[in-house]
Amino acid sequence: MPVYKTPKSIIAPSGCCGGCGHGIIQRLIAESIEELGLQDQVIACVDIACSEWSLDCLDYDHIAGPHGRIASVATGIKKVRPDKTVYALAGDGSSYVIGWTETTYAAVRDIPITMIVVNNGIFGMTGGQMNLATTLIGDKTVSSKAGRRRETMGHPVDMLQAIKTFDVEFAARGALYDTKHIDETKRFIKKGFENQRDNKGFSIIEVLSPCPTNWKLDPVDAMEKIKNENEKVFPVGVYTDRGGNK
Amino acid sequence: MSADYVLMKGNEAIAEAALRAGCRFYAGYPITPQSEILEYMSVNMEKRGGTFIQGENEIASMSMLFGASAAGARVMSSSSGPGFDLKQEEISYLTSNNLPAVLVNSMRYGTGDGEITPGQDSYWVSTRGGGHGDKRLIVLAPASVNECAELTYLAFDLAEKYRNVVEILTDGAISQMIEKCTLPPAKEHDIDKFDWTLTGKPLGVKKNKMNNLTNIIGHPAYSEMMLNKFKTMFSEEQRWESVMTDDAELILVAYGISSRVCKTAVREARAAGIKLGLIRPITVWPFPRKAFENLPESVKGFVTVEMSISSQMGEDIMMAARNSKPLYGCLTNVNIPKAKEIVDFCLDVLAGKVEPMEVI
């Protein structure tokens, strides 16, 4: 029977709401970093909003950037300290909506950072508003109370389909709704850090993650929603891998 | 004369002085009349081992700068008019994290898209701007190519000394003119010099968590620290040049391109027996209030000479003079003032033909 040790990098509880996926993602980041022996050289860049909770949780140098600009902040740091492991952790509002330009051009420049995007289909920190890029058609939020309508609010977009055309090192999507998918997500995140260790280019890992608080579902139902609804629009798997394993 | 005596554009002098001050990170977006700074950096930054990035926009460029500054590098960006507006968000973030950076604002005249020609109507956005929240930027206003180099070199030291944003406020004329210039000696900056930077430290070693400083040290400590910083910068960093103010009847107040014309106006007026003087702010924040102390009894009023519609500097002059003397506005908006026009204006003031201005 496997024994799971808490990574040494985790120094405090995640601080997130019950059933939130952010805590799992923080742990996967810490495990990946320690398994690769990179824990003594990490600089973490977190977006404001829910990603910022990891600032107190993980024992790395941290910076919280302006909302949406985290790929740019990480670019600046990686250029000044190219020998350090620099990762960006941000939500889907930050990475795909207000900061889509910044994410795009970090990818186009092929900056050798590891970017982790939490796709929970909603603006969590601000109380559950619609996310233009990731809220599903019909999903009810506090800014789409009758459900998202394509005619007036547009439709969700699979941004990894765009990113894979930018000739980046690695782009993949994982999910957290069962252990099989958590393990797969971990492999993707670890691959992102391996690429950086090996001086390869831009790696982005998106994670389908639940927000029970703002979805107004209990944690188990939130996981079921990802499996039955969100994953249909946002398929998990590797979108591009220049290293060529898949 | 130094061997580094060269003929350069204002923009090039700014860029070269920044490199010699140890600036090793530049990110920016093209806009007239400052694009030569970006172009100079694109050619020369990598030769000095630094990073040049042409950003996808101003906000992204400034966010890269924010990261690079946090990682310990000496950093610079530059823009003008609408481009400088877009930098405001990150100026606020730099301030909230107590991070140094040097920015150049080369003023182009007008609101909205405006013109690409020189102006001085971004005084307010420079001296009062910087995005949301409380902050003060040290704003240096060169009036020659030589001063472009000198003040840019100084700006990096001031930014680091106060862990604050320092702005070089120039205009399309000062940025574009070619003059002789003495360049400062080149020096290297050690990115590991300070203990507050992001370095990627081993587990167990105390980490730097850069977030709003208020979250880290609490509001009372942050407020006290910032207020002390603002007060210290205000009292220690006032810089100006006074020209023939000892017996002046009217004192011109002008910076940048206008101040150069004012020097000619003072000389021509004096030759005609009219006692003009000039106070030239070199820092427009902190505004050199000390220059307005102990002025002679002979002074009947102040004349602000600015390329703007409103007198943007007028309220600073009124505060500096404690409203003791009338203020007159020789405001030339889109045009660079002419010496004769300034002298004629002053003659009208002395003849009682000009109403003192209310600041609007």
Side-chain angles (χ1 to χ4, degrees), chain B residues 137-160:
Chain B
L137 277 57
I138 295 177
V139 185
L140 303 162
S144 65
V145 173
N146 200 63
E147 235 177 30
C148 282
E150 190 185 314
L151 294 179
T152 303
Y153 200 69
L154 170 71
F156 284 92
D157 291 337
L158 292 178
E160 224 164 60

Side-chain angles (χ1 to χ4, degrees), chain B residues 75-226:
Chain B
V75 300
M76 187 166 96
S77 186
S78 57
S79 194
S80 176
F84 204 81
D85 294 354
L86 295 170
K87 294 188 182 294
Q88 304 295 311
E89 177 186 63
E90 284 70 31
I91 296 176
S92 184
Y93 274 85
L94 286 158
T95 303
S96 76
N97 284 277
N98 235 14
L99 288 173
V102 175
L103 305 178
V104 184
N105 184 0
S106 174
M107 288 182 283
R108 51 193 260 163
Y109 180 80
T111 312
D113 191 29
E115 307 289 338
I116 58 167
T117 51
Q120 294 187 304
D121 52 350
S122 290
Y123 181 92
W124 278 333
V125 80
S126 294
T127 57
R128 270 69 170 166
H132 57 287
D134 272 310
K135 91 285 314 160
R136 284 296 191 184
L137 277 57
I138 295 177
V139 185
L140 303 162
S144 65
V145 173
N146 200 63
E147 235 177 30
C148 282
E150 190 185 314
L151 294 179
T152 303
Y153 200 69
L154 170 71
F156 284 92
D157 291 337
L158 292 178
E160 224 164 60
K161 177 178 177 185
Y162 294 104
R163 291 179 62 182
N164 208 77
V165 178
V166 178
E167 183 182 322
I168 308 294
L169 181 64
T170 171
D171 54 67
I174 299 294
S175 276
Q176 293 292 331
M177 69 170 58
I178 297 175
E179 276 188 324
K180 70 176 181 180
C181 170
T182 305
L183 290 166
K187 59 184 174 185
E188 283 296 329
H189 166 72
D190 176 10
I191 60 166
D192 295 320
K193 187 173 168 184
F194 299 110
D195 62 4
W196 46 261
T197 50
L198 302 173
T199 54
K201 300 170 187 65
L203 289 187
V205 174
K206 191 173 178 343
K207 302 302 188 297
N208 286 323
K209 305 277 183 163
M210 290 202 185
N211 195 358
N212 276 347
L213 263 178
T214 48
N215 296 1
I216 311 280
I217 62 174
H219 279 281
Y222 178 81
S223 304
E224 189 184 341
M225 184 192 77
M226 293 309 257

Side-chain angles (χ1 to χ4, degrees), chain B residues 282-328:
Chain B
I282 296 171
T283 50
V284 286
W285 201 92
F287 193 77
R289 291 193 197 173
K290 290 175 187 171
F292 292 76
E293 292 169 0
N294 306 317
L295 289 173
E297 291 293 320
S298 58
V299 177
K300 292 177 180 161
F302 300 97
V303 177
T304 180
V305 184
E306 299 172 61
M307 294 176 68
S308 55
I309 298 170
S310 311
S311 171
Q312 299 199 357
M313 190 169 59
E315 12 182 77
D316 281 337
I317 300 170
M318 280 182 163
M319 279 192 282
R322 299 191 183 274
N323 227 358
S324 60
K325 299 279 168 38
L327 172 68
Y328 304 91

